Structures are given as C-alpha cells and as structure tokens.
Amino acid sequence: MSLDADDLLMFARVMEAGSFSRAAERLSLPKSTVSRRIAALEQRLGEKLLQRSTRRLVLTEFGQGVLEHARALAAEVDQALALALHRQQKPTGRLRVSMPADFALQALSEMLTRFTLDYPEVQLELDLSPRRVDLIAEGFDIAVRMGALGEDSQLAARRLATMTNGLYASPDYLRRNGEPLRPEALESMHGLMILNRHGEAMPWELRRGEPVQEQWRSVPTQRTLVNAPDMLLKFAVAGVGITAVGDHYARHAVSAGQLVRILPDWCLAPADCWAVFPERRLMPLRSRLFIEAMATALSGCSAPVVPPARAA
C-alpha cells in the first residue's frame, strides 16, 4: 500500500476547516477535487474515514486514528512554513485579527495605524465585532479577548495587559445630582449600564481595599442599557448619568475635564486582556510583531488615571 502525504495533509485540513467547501477555499482548490482526493485516500486505506452529512463531517473510529497522524504531519509542515516566515527580514502575507470595535478604536487605533504604515507588505484584515470567533475554523491568526479564557488545547494565549475599571460621571451631572460618597448612593442615581447577552443589566460589583475589605453589588433603579462601552462613555460625557468603564476608555475624557472618577477608593474587578492564537512552536513574524505592538500600546493601561485638579 502506498500513501500520498499530500492526501493525508488534505485530510487534516478538511477536518480543521470542518467542511469540504471551507477547506477547498483555503487550499484554493475546487471542492470536487478535495472530495475526490479524500475518497481516493479512503479507497487506498480500505476503510471510511468520515461520514458526510449536509451539516457536518463525523469521523469514524478509524478516521480518528488516521487523523492523529495526519495532524502530526500538518504540524510539521506548519512548523517548516513558520520557520521560513520567521526568518524573513520583512513580514509579509495575510494577517487576520479579531477584536471588539470599541477596544480597537479607544485603545489601539494609533497602534493599528502605525502597524499598517510600518509593514505595508502585510495584508491586515480586521474583524471588529464582539463575537467570539473560532480561530481554527474561521482561519484567524489572532483574537483579542477579555476576562477568563476557556480551555482549548489548540490555542495558546499571551496576556497583553490587566485592565483596571472604575465609575465615571461628568462634572455637570455631579453638580446637578451630587457626588455619591458611598456605593449605596448609586442605587438612586442614573446608571449607564452594559447590556449582557441575556438582555439584562450587568450589575456593578465594587470592591474596596487590597486585600478586599468591603464589597458591594447592585443595579441602579434608573438605568440606560447599552452593549457598547464607547456609547456609554458618550452618554456619561453628555451628563446623562454614571457609568462603569475601563480606565483606558475614560483616560482622554478625564484629561480633558469631561469626566470625573467617582468613589475613587472603590473599583470594579480588573479584567485581563489576552491575545489568543493557534498553538504553534514557531509563530509567523507578522503575528509576533502584531502581538508585540499591541502589548506595547497597552503597557500603560494598568496605570491609574490621574485627573486634573478640580475646581473648589
């Protein structure tokens, strides 16, 4: 029995993509060619590797065993290609990155502009949306994620920064409504709240002291719900109410005197910012440079926001 290593590699790519059509698109081959090559591989091996349906591909027990070897082969090929890319003096090729739009605009807009200018031979493709992309199935190189990470043996991650969070309001709102001195006072004020996936307000969970000495959790009775931090910030600057946002979002408005940090001894739990990418021994140079550029841009996000002197 003779096997073509390219067919094993194609089998691994099909299962990685999750469908013949997506694999054909990534390999720049007709779908019929990919299907015929896999069928020929099954014929040579003498057993079915997978069951085809209109919605998904299901591995047979035999296919699972063959896939382990095919993935090992694909990993060796990827490592060889990554080594070649790593040795390039200039990064080139397509770089697909997913991150939330508000985060890109507020925290990384200058970095993204500089990266495209510094590396014109990299074709940067940004997916600016809050959705949690499937890096492997959708062909992304990097995704930016906040908070706790799930377990995925096919992915690796690097912490870019730990984002601090606080409560902010405009000086005008505080003149009209008074400044809260304790978290309990927030319940009677206008809260500008993040809308969660279930259509409900995400409660404010405040803590004071390190280690934590006091905690408070609640939702103001009067509230406006938005699923975009950038919009909450605009409402707060306009004097609509109080909002809880990352300090990096509020930094420019605080410096301009448009917002004031309230209850400065209290804060929301910090959130880790991660760069997530497919597990590889060697990363393409374009990906490595992009992650380094993000880490540099976010290096000051954990520093406290220093407001200008407030009028007496």
Side-chain angles (χ1 to χ4, degrees):
M1 180 188 300
S2 63
L3 290 179
D4 188 336
D6 285 343
D7 289 344
L8 283 174
L9 186 60
M10 184 173 292
F11 176 49
R13 300 306 189 202
V14 167
M15 298 312 301
E16 179 181 271
S19 73
F20 283 93
S21 57
R22 281 199 294 266
E25 182 180 349
R26 294 181 190 177
L27 295 169
S28 299
L29 292 172
K31 178 183 175 182
S32 58
T33 298
V34 175
S35 181
R36 186 174 64 254
R37 293 269 296 273
I38 298 302
L41 178 61
E42 290 176 323
Q43 186 70 27
R44 284 194 296 275
L45 292 171
E47 284 193 48
K48 296 286 288 184
L49 295 171
L50 46 85
Q51 301 293 337
R52 301 161 176 82
S53 72
T54 56
R55 292 188 176 182
R56 60 178 185 148
L57 302 175
V58 179
L59 282 171
T60 64
E61 181 179 359
F62 176 68
Q64 183 63 57
V66 173
L67 181 59
E68 293 177 7
H69 297 287
R71 279 178 172 164
L73 176 63
E76 292 296 330
V77 172
D78 286 345
Q79 289 167 26
L81 292 173
L83 178 61
L85 289 170
H86 185 73
R87 290 173 62 88
Q88 291 179 10
Q89 292 184 353
K90 292 185 178 180
T92 61
R94 185 173 72 162
L95 179 63
R96 300 195 69 209
V97 181
S98 172
M99 66 177 68
D102 285 339
F103 185 77
L105 292 171
Q106 292 289 338
L108 294 178
S109 59
E110 292 182 9
M111 168 260 153
L112 293 170
T113 301
R114 175 51 54 191
F115 186 89
T116 57
L117 292 173
D118 288 346
Y119 306 108
E121 295 182 40
V122 174
Q123 180 185 327
L124 180 62
E125 296 182 11
L126 290 175
D127 177 81
L128 300 181
S129 71
R131 71 188 185 94
R132 198 177 184 88
V133 301
D134 185 328
L135 275 81
I136 303 298
E138 298 182 56
F140 280 94
D141 299 290
I142 303 168
V144 174
R145 292 179 179 168
M146 305 296 294
L149 297 178
E151 295 185 4
D152 192 326
S153 61
Q154 292 183 294
L155 299 179
R158 173 179 169 181
R159 184 188 288 108
L160 298 173
T162 298
M163 304 296 188
T164 57
N165 305 280
L167 294 171
Y168 292 89
S170 72
D172 178 62
Y173 178 84
L174 296 177
R175 280 193 295 269
R176 289 185 284 111
N177 296 276
E179 183 170 349
L181 301 179
R182 288 282 304 172
E184 293 79 8
L186 296 170
E187 295 180 353
S188 62
M189 307 190 89
H190 192 153
L192 307 173
M193 318 288 292
I194 282 286
L195 182 69
N196 65 22
R197 289 179 296 177
H198 306 292
E200 302 171 344
M202 189 175 297
W204 288 341
E205 299 186 25
L206 302 178
R207 57 182 67 182
R208 185 179 72 84
E210 187 60 45
V212 177
Q213 299 171 359
E214 289 185 85
Q215 297 187 71
W216 178 87
R217 183 180 188 273
S218 189
V219 175
T221 303
Q222 183 184 9
R223 53 187 179 268
T224 298
L225 308 182
V226 183
N227 66 349
D230 189 50
M231 196 69 240
L232 291 179
L233 205 63
K234 285 179 170 42
F235 280 149
V237 168
V240 176
I242 295 172
T243 191
V245 295
D247 293 330
H248 65 285
Y249 282 108
R251 191 174 303 275
H252 295 301
V254 170
S255 298
Q258 298 173 314
L259 289 179
V260 174
R261 172 78 182 266
I262 64 172
L263 294 171
D265 293 337
W266 295 77
C267 64
L268 286 82
D272 288 328
C273 175
W274 302 89
V276 182
F277 43 90
E279 179 68 73
R280 293 171 180 161
R281 292 182 185 177
L282 291 173
M283 180 183 294
L285 180 59
R286 58 182 180 269
S287 296
R288 181 167 57 83
L289 290 173
F290 190 87
I291 291 173
E292 290 295 339
M294 286 196 296
T296 300
L298 298 175
S299 60
C301 284
S302 298
V305 176
V306 179
R310 295 172 63 178

